[in-house]
Amino acid sequence: MPQTTIYVSPRSLGAPDRRPPAVATAELARLFAGSPALAGVTMTIQGGRAIALLGPNGAGKTTLLRIVSTAIRPSYGSVEVDGLHLNRDAAAIRERVAYLSHATGLYDDLSARENLAFAATMIGTPDAASRVARALADVGLEARAEDRVGTFSAGMRKRLALGRILLGSPSLVLLDEPYAALDVDGMTLVDDLLAAWREVGVTVLVASHAVGRLEPLLDGRVVLERGLVVDVHGEGVKHVPPAPPAAVRPAVAGAAR
Amino acid sequence: MKTRILGLVALAAVIAATAVALFVVPPDQNQGDAQRIMYPHVASAWLAYLSFGVTALAGIGWLWKRDLRLDAVAHSAAEIGVMFTAFAIWGGMMWGRPVWGVFWQWEDPRLTTTALLLALYVGYLLLRRLSDDPERRATRAAIVGVIAAVDIPIVHFSVEWWRGLHQTATIGSPDRVLNPAAPMVFVGSLLGMLGAFTLAWLYLMIRRYQLARAEAAREEARRMDRIMTARTVEAAR
Amino acid sequence: MNALRRDASVALAVARKDAIAELRGRHATVSTLFFAGIVLLLFGFALGPDADRLAAAAPGLLWLAVVFAGILAVSRLHLLETDDGALEHLALYPVSRQAIYAGKAIGGFAVMLLIAVLVLVAVGILFAVDVLGAWPALLATAVLGAAGVAAVGTFYAGITVRLRAREVMLPLLMLPVLAPLLLGAVKATAAALAGDPFGELGAWLQLLVAFDVIMIVAGAATYGYLLEDG
């Protein structure tokens, strides 16, 4: 599938040097049931860059993506997306971010087309019917468009979830293990998408284990381990090691010390 | 220290108001000595409403300002409110037995309303226990606290009507004393009891809030400790 | 105005999506209706076989069956959103939270109204009550009652769907809140069946309207917070 066929909706993003950082976190930490999934991440990701989030299972990659997507709130620290603060401007952030998570968020009883049509209404996609048809074609699900998603394999679900991202015009795309469950064609599709987004200046943050495959497609990489950034390479990403304890600020007021 | 003085004053006031209600006020013409239960009963019911109002307002405050101290206030008020609600129900039953001949009088709107209040807020407290993340817990509790509070007046009206849409208030209902024709000595005694109970409520609120903050501080210290451990382990590698 | 139109289309899309899933999967209605039928039958055993006594208790039994079935129905409708993390995705769309609440509540209302009407018919048959004679008032009661259960249920199911103990917590939180609705609906039904001898039907319907309006406003105002608490 040649990459030129994929329709990635453009968005006016401003000159690269004048864009605010696509993602800026300060001492970001999140606990689940008292145990830290992120233990204090301070980094900035430059707008328009494609960055890999690497690290073993349980390193905090998914937690970081979920926080940036506004799905969950941080326990400590702060996040800004395109200069918008997570606590104040979550609604504006949602308009700019597209998120492919582990869970596809698709409805089993709806067909592929119905799922995308629903998403198009929710996103507010103009010209929805033709955009849905286009996205279905782009992810290679045209033939199964009228089938219920409950009958789909994991790989097909993943393709459909990718198609949903194509319905919006995000400035930041978050991908959590995009290659997982996909066949060879599907993996090529992800490669093409990454290239297409990069071309139009969309920032991409992709959590993956497929280091070798991603290497040529990306500008830089961040390595997480046990909730902390342990290494940073390449361009477009900066990282500050954890500050002393006093610098960790609760995300809400009135957290007792 | 100030809180301790408040506590002693509240204790003295409750003892004094109880003494007045027991020995100074004459027995009621119709109900005799049983009517004396009315003083703490009405005072408890008032404090239950006050507590649940505070829970709702503090909950809205949390949703708005995201300040965990407000959540501690909401939690404290709900717990104390449940206590006073239970006390009010118990008082109502003790009063009902000699006056009506039964512990539970379905025709009394106060009793049935209060029982529903107890159910609403026991649910609130149970929900709080099901979340181990302080912010999630605060948000869920705040929402449930708000819904419960807006439900209270509807519960009140519906039960009042349910008893009989075209019936006048039952003779001997506890709030009879509050009507203007009642002798001053009854009114004075009731107001005294209300004041004394409210002081006691204030003392309990402060103490419960301090306890909630101490619990939060311990939880917070444990969380911070886990984060720092994670950092130290990583730094040592 | 534009924002309002968008909210309306979002709410309809959510409701429509639930309706399609319901028509294909029948998660909520069939099993819930069956449950309501069993409840009615058991009430009959518990209170019967004296026909007069059953007829007198019919309004109460009717609404208890509807409310119990309603707990199951709203819970099923929200479980749909746990299909592969759908609830989290729903929260991530750039749409007003009130619109999502409205959509879920409309879906819940449709299911609840169906349940209320069918249970009403079943009560008419099982307890020898003349439901056809007073159908306009009974239908009004059913509509208002269904709206109230949907408004409250959507909201509480949204909280409990993420809890470990949701099967216990949903009825425990919801039933006390629904008490005034139960009172109002039972009284309105009883008044309607008796031909409204005391002229109190209007007052009970007003109570139901007040309950519905207050709960819809409170639910819409707070649903966003529970959607976002992850």
Side-chain angles (χ1 to χ4, degrees), chain C residues 97-110:
Chain C
R97 271 80 256 276
Q98 286 82 359
I100 297 179
Y101 173 76
K104 293 298 290 182
I106 290 169
F109 170 68

Side-chain angles (χ1 to χ4, degrees), chain B residues 159-176:
Chain B
V159 173
E160 190 98 0
W161 285 6
W162 174 62
R163 193 176 41 121
L165 208 53
H166 296 280
Q167 235 176 296
T168 49
T170 324
I171 291 169
S173 135
D175 59 344
R176 186 176 61 100

Side-chain angles (χ1 to χ4, degrees), chain B residues 63 116 119-120 123-124 126-127 130 136 139-140 143-144 146-147 150-151 154-155 157-159 161-162 165-166, chain C residues 155-156 159 163-164 169 172-173 176-177 179-180 183 187 198 200 203-204 207 211 215 218 222 225-226 229-230:
Chain B
L63 294 177
L116 279 173
L120 279 172
Y124 172 96
L126 282 174
L127 178 71
L130 283 176
R136 273 187 199 178
T139 302
R140 289 172 184 166
I143 299 169
V144 169
V146 169
I147 299 285
V150 300
D151 200 45
I154 323 178
V155 167
F157 277 115
S158 62
V159 173
W161 285 6
W162 174 62
L165 208 53
H166 296 280
Chain C
F155 173 83
Y156 278 105
I159 294 181
L163 294 178
R164 280 158 291 160
M169 283 311 284
L172 201 139
L173 291 171
V177 177
L183 285 183
K187 282 291 184 179
F198 304 109
E200 57 184 339
W204 290 115
L207 178 83
F211 180 89
M215 285 305 160
T222 49
Y225 292 106
L226 72 92
D229 97 323

Side-chain angles (χ1 to χ4, degrees), chain C residues 156-196:
Chain C
Y156 278 105
I159 294 181
T160 54
V161 72
R162 297 192 218 227
L163 294 178
R164 280 158 291 160
R166 63 172 163 245
E167 301 83 2
V168 190
M169 283 311 284
L170 182 61
L172 201 139
L173 291 171
M174 221 174 118
L175 287 176
V177 177
L178 284 178
L181 176 127
L182 190 70
L183 285 183
V186 169
K187 282 291 184 179
T189 307
L193 287 175
D196 200 12

Side-chain angles (χ1 to χ4, degrees), chain C residues 4 18 53 60 66 71 85 99-100 104 108 141 146 179 190 199 208 213-214 227:
Chain C
L4 204 65
D18 281 0
R53 191 157 140 204
V66 171
I71 291 172
I100 297 179
K104 293 298 290 182
T141 311
L208 289 178
V213 169
I214 291 172
L227 207 52

Side-chain angles (χ1 to χ4, degrees), chain C:
Chain C
M1 194 57 219
N2 238 344
L4 204 65
R5 195 174 306 148
R6 169 141 167 73
D7 282 358
S9 72
V10 164
L12 282 179
V14 172
R16 189 166 166 269
K17 176 246 332 161
D18 281 0
I20 294 175
E22 186 53 43
L23 287 174
R24 293 197 187 139
R26 299 199 172 78
H27 303 285
T29 37
V30 174
S31 50
T32 315
L33 277 170
F34 193 59
F35 173 74
I38 293 172
V39 168
L40 284 182
L41 212 55
L42 289 182
F43 277 147
F45 288 136
L47 297 178
D50 179 3
D52 288 344
R53 191 157 140 204
L54 281 175
L61 305 185
L62 161 73
W63 282 100
L64 271 180
V66 171
V67 165
F68 287 157
I71 291 172
L72 290 188
V74 293
S75 164
R76 292 297 324 176
L77 279 181
H78 260 82
L79 279 179
L80 183 71
E81 300 294 349
T82 56
D83 269 11
D84 211 2
L87 194 60
E88 182 162 309
H89 273 86
L90 205 55
L92 291 181
Y93 287 118
V95 297
S96 88
R97 271 80 256 276
Q98 286 82 359
I100 297 179
Y101 173 76
K104 293 298 290 182
I106 290 169
F109 170 68
V111 171
M112 283 314 303
L113 186 59
L114 183 71
I115 291 172
V117 168
L118 291 180
V119 172
L120 194 59
V121 171
V123 164
I125 295 167
L126 284 177
F127 302 142
V129 179
D130 179 24
V131 292
L132 285 177
W135 74 267
L138 289 176
L139 186 64
T141 311
V143 168
L144 293 173
V149 175
V152 173
T154 300
F155 173 83
Y156 278 105
I159 294 181
T160 54
V161 72
R162 297 192 218 227
L163 294 178
R164 280 158 291 160
R166 63 172 163 245
E167 301 83 2
V168 190
M169 283 311 284
L170 182 61
L172 201 139
L173 291 171
M174 221 174 118
L175 287 176
V177 177
L178 284 178
L181 176 127
L182 190 70
L183 285 183
V186 169
K187 282 291 184 179
T189 307
L193 287 175
D196 200 12
F198 304 109
E200 57 184 339
L201 179 65
W204 290 115
L205 292 181
Q206 275 170 23
L207 178 83
L208 289 178
V209 170
F211 180 89
D212 290 358
V213 169
I214 291 172
M215 285 305 160
I216 289 169
V217 169
T222 49
Y223 191 71
Y225 292 106
L226 72 92
L227 207 52
E228 277 160 34
D229 97 323

